[in-house]
């Protein structure tokens, strides 16, 4: 519960960081499982929505909500159940140059798998390349600290600014 309150506080700070209008972004990614997820899961997909406010010319901050789904594989004849998370985070993006973006999402991922996990601390460092004013390609490492380990993936995706 403390972690959820921390996430809500971070999102509130992101919303009040600047009274200027922000930019709504939608993205999708596909990933290869890493950390403790690499032995039981075949691949991962993700969807993201964020609303980023400009704090300065090169820095944006705001709330982010995403969905991560890990597709279970097979270990020694046993099927591994899929795992799903709903990360709620504060997102920060820094424009390192006109084309390159460095970012970080921090928050709490709610476990939404049927047989499940309770969720845990969510982190997602990323780098991106702006293809156009409203489209960027991103590479990220997304992780959730869960009881007994870390569910993580190396992802590659696209983000569209609306």
């Amino acid at each position: 519960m403390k972690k959820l309150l921390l996430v809500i506080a971070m999102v509130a700070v992101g919303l009040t960081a600047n009274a200027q209008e922000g930019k709504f972004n939608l993205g999708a990614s596909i990933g290869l499982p890493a950390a403790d997820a690499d032995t039981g899961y075949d691949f991962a997909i993700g969807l993201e929505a964020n609303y980023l406010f400009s704090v300065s010319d090169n820095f944006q901050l705001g709330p982010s909500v995403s969905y991560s789904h890990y597709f279970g594989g097979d270990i020694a004849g046993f099927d591994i159940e899929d795992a799903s998370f709903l990360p709620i985070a504060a997102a920060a993006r820094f424009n390192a140059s006109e084309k390159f973006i460095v970012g970080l999402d921090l928050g709490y991922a709610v476990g939404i798998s049927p047989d499940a996990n309770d969720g845990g601390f969510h982190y997602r460092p990323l780098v991106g390349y702006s293809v156009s004013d409203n489209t960027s390609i991103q590479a990220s490492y997304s992780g959730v600290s869960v009881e007994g380990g870390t569910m993580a993936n190396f992802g590659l995706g696209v983000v569209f600014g609306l």
Side-chain angles (χ1 to χ4, degrees), residues 7 14 29 31-32 41 45 47 52 57 59 65-66 68 79 86 108 113-114 127 134 141 145:
V7 169
S29 65
L32 295 174
Y41 298 90
I45 59 169
L47 300 172
L52 301 177
D57 288 341
F59 186 68
V65 174
S66 52
S68 298
D79 288 332
L86 184 68
Y108 187 81
S113 300
V127 294
N134 292 319
Y141 179 83
S145 298

Side-chain angles (χ1 to χ4, degrees), residues 119-137:
F121 176 69
H122 166 72
Y123 52 95
R124 182 175 167 247
L126 62 92
V127 294
Y129 179 78
S130 294
V131 178
S132 71
D133 287 342
N134 292 319
T135 306
S136 65
I137 297 170

Side-chain angles (χ1 to χ4, degrees), residues 21-133:
E21 286 190 33
K23 185 175 184 180
F24 183 69
N25 302 292
L26 286 176
S29 65
I30 187 163
L32 295 174
D36 296 318
D38 70 348
T39 56
Y41 298 90
D42 294 332
F43 68 98
I45 59 169
L47 300 172
E48 175 187 10
N50 64 41
Y51 193 80
L52 301 177
F53 297 93
S54 291
V55 176
S56 70
D57 288 341
N58 294 325
F59 186 68
Q60 298 86 39
L61 183 68
S64 176
V65 174
S66 52
Y67 173 76
S68 298
H69 188 89
Y70 291 83
F71 290 90
D74 180 68
I75 297 179
F78 294 99
D79 288 332
I80 303 298
E81 294 287 326
D82 292 0
S84 299
F85 296 93
L86 184 68
I88 302 166
R93 303 291 183 267
F94 177 72
N95 299 326
S97 72
E98 192 173 305
K99 293 287 188 180
F100 288 97
I101 302 159
V102 178
L104 178 65
D105 295 358
L106 290 175
Y108 187 81
V110 178
I112 56 175
S113 300
D115 290 334
N117 53 63
D118 294 328
F121 176 69
H122 166 72
Y123 52 95
R124 182 175 167 247
L126 62 92
V127 294
Y129 179 78
S130 294
V131 178
S132 71
D133 287 342

